Amino acid sequence: MRLDGVWWLEDRLRQQLRSVPFEVPAGTSLIQVRLDYDRSAGAVLDLGCAGPEGFRGWSGGARQEFEIGAGRATPGYLPGEILPGVWHVWLGLHRVPPEGVRYSLEITFSDKTTKVARDLEYHHVRLLERPPARELPTVDGARWYAGDLHAHTEHSDGTLSIRGLAELAATVGLDFLAVTDHNTISHYPHLEKQSARSGVTLIPGQEVTTDLGHANVWGSPEWIDFRRPASQWMKQAEKAGALFSVNHPLAGDCAWRHHLTTQPSIAEVWHWSWFDRTWGWPLAWMRRHPAAIIPVGGSDFHEPDGTPASLGAPITWVLAEECSTAALLAGIAAGHTAISATRTGPLVLRCGDQVTTVDADGLILVRPDETRVVVRADSSGRQSFPASQSGMYRLETWRNEVMALCA
């Protein structure tokens, strides 16, 4: 099947996501889709697919072709039985210039049996060297775990395989990592094996992605339908026992502009784009909300080189009984989080009725009421303060540069 045409800016304004139906004949074992269009004027068309049973994959603007078979599929897409009947290619009119964009969509079918993709890389296992664990105060037997709650792989627009990302996470000293590929769950089946290999707890996540903002959903076994209103994402996550977080609410054209009927309880207030931490906009955004928001951080990691985002910068610390997905998500939901610029940098932790600073000698502790005190650490590098106030505590340099925070 081949379809040629032109998308105009008016088409995008009327309906951004277009669904192109096609009939899959009985006996088909492999579907291949290719989208060609001219990107020279800045056009971006997104790509996805649905079968008779529902969602089968999404790659956004990261790919121009994909295949789905019983035994294998392009990363971002779900392998499995190819049911006969009406399928749909999803075309997202992400960027359409006024002069329009010409496109060609080609869909081919095969009745040849597809083999299950062999995971050859698992035959070569190497010992991963991890940095030593950081000595931090425990709270009633629970300990602080270091992680990153926002990262991508080849299953969306990242460059690393899940194995490559897990190995990198281990070598930079992460205890946990949320793999949050855009609008897909095709990475889920691979996380448990790579967690065992790397020693890093890989949390299943999705970055629900639209033009009006992005949100992370952690722990949902179901695909979150990005085509629905954002309030429905929250409800679907809550029903599945998962956590919902607004991502980088003030990050350029990815800033959060969705209308929500209820306030989210978690927000990624520290994103890699907060590279000048004398800017006070994340703190101002948090303070304007009448109810407390649980702060988390995320690197939004995509590739090892050529991008400002580095894995584990910032670090989100979670106080939990153990380093399992369930325990970590419970710790986040309870608000037991702290954020630091790096894994070994200055840190402020809420420990029961005290706030403890670590490796922060000479920095300034800012209390929720904006009163300040200079940290004078003891020989262990720590100093504790009463934590009678609810709200956010943070560490600053004398230049008002934020180094760490907790709430």
Side-chain angles (χ1 to χ4, degrees):
M1 170 183 170
R2 182 181 176 92
L3 179 66
D4 297 285
V6 180
W7 293 116
W8 302 97
L9 183 55
E10 289 80 1
D11 296 323
R12 185 188 188 279
L13 298 180
R14 281 192 293 269
Q15 183 179 343
Q16 184 177 348
L17 186 67
R18 301 301 179 117
S19 186
V20 179
F22 62 96
E23 186 80 23
V24 174
T28 299
S29 60
L30 182 67
I31 299 171
Q32 295 173 306
V33 175
R34 179 173 180 80
L35 172 67
D36 288 310
Y37 66 95
D38 184 6
R39 297 189 177 207
S40 61
V44 179
L45 300 181
D46 291 335
L47 194 58
C49 185
E53 75 282 27
F55 173 78
R56 288 302 291 262
W58 178 261
S59 51
R63 302 184 190 278
Q64 288 186 243
E65 58 185 323
F66 65 83
E67 66 176 31
I68 300 175
R72 69 173 189 268
T74 300
Y77 295 80
L78 305 179
E81 183 182 1
I82 305 300
L83 297 176
V86 178
W87 288 56
H88 292 84
V89 170
W90 289 341
L91 293 179
L93 311 186
H94 184 63
R95 295 284 183 267
V96 178
E99 62 270 25
V101 53
R102 293 189 176 276
Y103 73 96
S104 174
L105 182 66
E106 187 176 273
I107 306 170
T108 60
F109 313 102
S110 173
D111 59 1
K112 296 180 179 179
T113 302
T114 60
K115 297 180 179 179
V116 176
R118 295 180 63 197
D119 210 346
L120 297 178
E121 63 181 2
Y122 296 122
H123 294 294
H124 305 283
V125 178
R126 65 185 181 90
L127 182 64
L128 301 177
E129 295 184 4
R130 296 178 56 91
R134 193 171 184 183
E135 293 294 330
L136 296 175
T138 58
V139 181
D140 297 328
R143 56 162 290 195
W144 293 95
Y145 294 98
D148 192 332
L149 289 170
H150 191 168
H152 298 275
T153 72
E154 63 182 356
H155 285 258
S156 58
D157 56 351
T159 61
L160 294 181
S161 65
I162 297 171
R163 173 180 176 171
L165 182 67
E167 288 184 347
L168 181 60
T171 57
V172 300
L174 300 187
D175 299 308
F176 67 89
L177 174 67
V179 184
T180 53
D181 281 310
H182 296 282
N183 293 340
T184 189
I185 56 173
S186 62
H187 52 294
Y188 277 21
H190 309 283
L191 298 181
E192 184 176 356
K193 180 183 289 186
Q194 291 305 322
S195 290
R197 276 197 73 259
S198 63
V200 177
T201 300
L202 299 181
I203 298 174
Q206 309 162 56
E207 185 171 19
V208 192
T209 306
T210 75
D211 273 6
L212 296 179
H214 305 178
N216 272 340
V217 175
W218 304 299
S220 171
E222 306 170 344
W223 174 68
I224 304 296
D225 193 341
F226 66 95
R227 301 170 299 172
R228 296 177 179 175
S231 291
Q232 293 296 317
W233 309 346
M234 290 184 65
K235 292 178 181 178
Q236 188 178 350
E238 182 179 2
K239 185 177 179 180
L243 299 185
F244 175 95
S245 169
V246 169
N247 283 355
H248 40 66
L250 299 167
D253 67 348
C254 296
W256 185 260
R257 289 167 285 166
H258 283 285
H259 172 73
L260 293 174
T261 55
T262 57
Q263 178 181 303
S265 59
I266 307 171
E268 185 186 71
V269 297
W270 196 325
H271 181 254
W272 75 259
S273 56
W274 194 17
F275 51 85
D276 184 345
R277 290 186 297 279
T278 61
W279 296 348
W281 45 262
L283 309 178
W285 187 87
M286 280 192 64
R287 290 177 66 88
R288 74 174 297 274
H289 290 276
I293 283 186
I294 298 168
V296 298
S299 69
D300 202 354
F301 176 84
H302 282 76
E303 56 185 295
D305 301 305
T307 175
S310 299
L311 193 65
I315 288 284
T316 299
W317 299 86
V318 178
L319 183 68
E321 298 294 330
E322 61 181 12
C323 195
S324 66
T325 292
L328 291 166
L329 294 184
I332 295 172
H336 299 157
T337 64
I339 313 173
S340 60
T342 63
R343 195 181 71 88
T344 58
L347 189 57
V348 56
L349 304 170
R350 186 185 286 272
C351 301
D353 59 357
Q354 289 188 323
V355 165
T356 299
T357 62
V358 182
D359 298 326
D361 189 46
L363 296 181
I364 299 167
L365 177 69
V366 186
R367 302 183 181 96
D369 61 3
E370 294 296 318
T371 59
R372 289 163 162 79
V373 61
V374 178
V375 176
R376 299 301 182 189
D378 59 20
S379 58
S380 69
R382 302 179 185 177
Q383 186 176 3
S384 294
F385 302 86
S388 57
Q389 295 173 308
S390 62
M392 182 174 61
Y393 289 79
R394 66 183 186 269
L395 289 172
E396 291 183 350
T397 68
W398 62 274
R399 295 179 60 253
N400 297 326
E401 179 184 15
V402 177
M403 302 302 291
L405 61 86
C406 71

